[in-house]
Amino acid sequence: MLERDGVPTAEDLARFIPSEERLAKGPVAIIECFQAIPCDPCYDWCKRGAIKRFKNPTDLPQIDFERCNGCGLCVIGCPGLAIFIVDGTYSEERARVVLPYEFLPLPEKGEVVEALNREGEAVGEAEVLKAQPTKQKTTLISLLVPQGLAMEVRFFRRRENG
Ligand code: SF4
Ligand code: SF4
């Protein structure tokens, strides 16, 4: 439960999950922002108008999935590291998950890492497709994960031997 351990419930997540139909069209932002704190830079970072203007800074973000093209700008601009991109169209077997990362050293392209869920539990393997540093010091990490884990994997752990 979010208030107790920071882990959202299925009910918390429901408002930010696009339809299967939208997921099948290509990359899309999954905004996992659940608490009414005064924060709204995701609105300014989105140049496609997919994130609706906040009436109050403490509103939760609202996204129009049809306007979102999964560009990832809001992932860079979110100070809460709360936004992810999911692309279910990468291949039949694997989906691409893009997540914000603020540690060094960066993982290498092609590196196999442990895929972690929102609880921090290992749920399988992922391959690093790309590590894309940005001027904001948040690096976008693209992971390839099994299709069935695209809505579960939200972080990763490097193996000790790299
Ligand atoms: S991924 Fe791009 S288009 Fe989609 S909400 Fe974020 S900034 Fe907007
Ligand atoms: S910038 Fe991030 S933390 Fe702030 S409201 Fe948007 S999604 Fe939530």
Side-chain angles (χ1 to χ4, degrees):
M1 182 192 279
L2 204 59
E3 292 76 15
R4 202 176 57 232
D5 54 18
V7 178
T9 62
E11 199 180 7
D12 294 324
L13 287 165
R15 63 178 286 146
F16 296 118
I17 307 257
S19 65
E20 288 295 322
E21 195 182 24
R22 172 60 191 87
L23 282 168
K25 286 185 189 166
V28 65
I30 311 294
I31 303 182
E32 303 196 6
C33 176
F34 308 105
Q35 293 196 304
I37 53 170
C39 181
D40 62 1
C42 52
Y43 166 73
D44 289 317
W45 275 81
C46 181
K47 306 305 176 207
R48 295 177 61 86
I51 296 178
K52 295 182 187 161
R53 183 186 290 279
F54 287 55
K55 287 190 183 139
N56 298 298
T58 53
D59 287 347
L60 294 183
Q62 292 184 52
I63 180 167
D64 179 342
F65 294 118
E66 295 307 320
R67 285 186 176 221
C68 174
N69 67 353
C71 69
L73 285 176
C74 57
V75 182
I76 300 168
C78 171
L81 309 182
I83 309 181
F84 307 85
I85 304 295
V86 168
D87 179 7
T89 65
Y90 182 80
S91 75
E92 267 190 34
E93 295 79 27
R94 295 198 288 181
R96 185 171 61 98
V97 176
V98 181
L99 52 87
Y101 191 72
E102 296 189 339
F103 296 97
L104 291 171
L106 296 176
E108 309 274 338
K109 176 178 165 61
E111 185 174 330
V112 176
V113 295
E114 279 185 288
L116 306 182
N117 65 12
R118 295 180 184 85
E119 287 89 345
E121 297 162 347
V123 290
E125 280 188 345
E127 178 185 335
V128 178
L129 179 67
K130 187 156 69 168
Q132 185 184 348
T134 70
K135 285 184 186 157
Q136 278 64 36
K137 303 203 168 86
T138 299
T139 295
L140 298 183
I141 303 289
S142 290
L143 295 180
L144 297 179
V145 305
Q147 279 287 358
L149 294 180
M151 298 308 288
E152 269 196 63
V153 174
R154 291 296 177 264
F155 206 62
F156 66 93
R157 181 162 51 220
R158 300 183 76 187
R159 292 176 168 165
E160 280 180 23
N161 57 2

